[in-house]
Amino acid sequence: DAKTTQPPSMDCAEGRAANLPCNHSTISGNEYVYWYRQIHSQGPQYIIHGLKNNETNEMASLIITEDRKSSTLILPHATLRDTAVYYCIVRVWGLTGGGNKLTFGTGTQLKVEL
Amino acid sequence: GAGVSQSPSNKVTEKGKDVELRCDPISGHTALYWYRQSLGQGLEFLIYFQGNSAPDKSGLPSDRFSAERTGGSVSTLTIQRTQQEDSAVYLCASSPRGIITEAFFGQGTRLTVV
């Protein structure tokens, strides 16, 4: 799986958009970008994933650059409950190629403040 | 319940003792995973069960670690002769089709070996 680089921490005011960057310059053509988050004392939670088109769901939006070497997770109206560590990973979809080993780095600690 | 349930949520044990950690996956999910997360670290894969297939034990760090999944549902992770380096959060996840990126995680068991 391709390596990702994220800033260790970010702050965001409540109600504002949180934009979390991720660099994945060695991403392969068949690798997807996945975002997870882990709120303190809880297990990881899937947020969103994409291949090359921008994606949006009820939790967030994912913007992937045209060359696919970086992406941004956007929480449009951050709340205090969004304070968590956010992980960006790239891997092939499905069982083959990536197997069952989900590897997270150290992620970005997002702190949402009043 | 609707989610993956793990018990106990916290466990403190003395070095050298054996511990058992339990995971109740989401009903109907064929795949079950165990991961652990040490303080400030990412996820470390331990073991994977899929249906009636032989489990993938490639992530177990030593022969002190073992896991069972009875009846294709509940799983128990056993650590024998615990060591201080075993202290971590042990996370269980289940997925409906054996694809890790579709998995739902439990809240984990925080194991502290003193």
Side-chain angles (χ1 to χ4, degrees), chain A residues 81-95:
Chain A
R81 288 177 296 179
D82 292 322
T83 294
V85 179
Y86 287 77
Y87 298 99
C88 164
I89 64 172
V90 292
R91 56 172 285 134
V92 296
W93 182 88
L95 190 60

Side-chain angles (χ1 to χ4, degrees), chain B residues 23-34 47-53 55 66-77 92-95:
Chain B
C23 174
D24 282 276
I26 293 173
S27 178
H29 281 194
T30 62
L32 186 147
Y33 313 79
W34 283 98
I47 189 168
Y48 163 68
F49 296 90
Q50 170 62 301
N52 296 321
S53 302
S66 62
E68 291 183 339
R69 189 180 185 193
T70 55
S73 181
V74 172
S75 177
T76 302
L77 177 69
C92 176
S94 69
S95 73

Side-chain angles (χ1 to χ4, degrees), chain A residues 5-57:
Chain A
T5 305
Q6 299 177 252
S9 64
M10 292 183 65
D11 294 334
C12 179
E14 189 177 34
R16 303 295 295 269
N19 298 292
L20 296 143
C22 180
N23 287 324
H24 31 80
S25 59
T26 60
I27 191 170
S28 300
N30 63 344
E31 287 182 317
Y32 286 68
V33 181
Y34 289 85
W35 283 85
Y36 286 76
R37 74 179 183 183
Q38 191 167 18
I39 296 171
H40 182 63
S41 298
Q42 296 185 23
Q45 177 189 25
Y46 164 83
I47 301 173
I48 199 168
H49 75 282
L51 183 62
K52 54 183 178 181
N53 296 323
N54 298 337
E55 303 287 343
T56 295
N57 63 20

Side-chain angles (χ1 to χ4, degrees), chain A residues 34 36 38 41-44 46 87 91 93-95 99-102 104-106, chain B residues 33 35 37 40 42-43 45 48 56 58 91 97-102 105-107:
Chain A
Y34 289 85
Y36 286 76
Q38 191 167 18
S41 298
Q42 296 185 23
Y46 164 83
Y87 298 99
R91 56 172 285 134
W93 182 88
L95 190 60
N100 43 56
K101 299 175 179 62
L102 192 65
F104 288 176
T106 51
Chain B
Y33 313 79
Y35 282 79
Q37 191 171 32
L43 290 182
F45 168 78
Y48 163 68
D56 176 355
S58 61
L91 291 161
R97 298 188 290 169
I99 298 172
I100 182 57
T101 45
E102 296 181 347
F105 283 81
Q107 293 198 347

Side-chain angles (χ1 to χ4, degrees), chain A residues 59-72:
Chain A
M59 291 182 68
S61 294
L62 175 60
I63 308 297
I64 302 174
T65 58
E66 191 169 345
D67 63 9
R68 303 208 323 123
K69 293 185 177 182
S70 65
S71 61
T72 302

Side-chain angles (χ1 to χ4, degrees), chain B residues 10-113:
Chain B
N10 281 284
K11 176 73 175 177
V12 179
T13 190
E14 292 181 351
K15 179 181 173 181
K17 300 277 188 171
D18 297 352
V19 295
E20 285 189 352
L21 312 179
R22 177 186 168 102
C23 174
D24 282 276
I26 293 173
S27 178
H29 281 194
T30 62
L32 186 147
Y33 313 79
W34 283 98
Y35 282 79
R36 74 177 175 181
Q37 191 171 32
S38 301
L39 187 63
Q41 302 297 311
L43 290 182
E44 177 186 2
F45 168 78
L46 296 177
I47 189 168
Y48 163 68
F49 296 90
Q50 170 62 301
N52 296 321
S53 302
D56 176 355
K57 304 180 182 180
S58 61
L60 295 178
S62 77
D63 59 8
R64 296 186 295 105
F65 288 72
S66 62
E68 291 183 339
R69 189 180 185 193
T70 55
S73 181
V74 172
S75 177
T76 302
L77 177 69
T78 301
I79 309 173
Q80 296 178 311
R81 304 180 303 282
T82 52
Q83 303 295 313
Q84 288 186 328
E85 60 262 29
D86 299 333
S87 295
V89 175
Y90 289 81
L91 291 161
C92 176
S94 69
S95 73
R97 298 188 290 169
I99 298 172
I100 182 57
T101 45
E102 296 181 347
F104 293 83
F105 283 81
Q107 293 198 347
T109 294
R110 181 175 298 278
L111 175 66
T112 304
V113 181

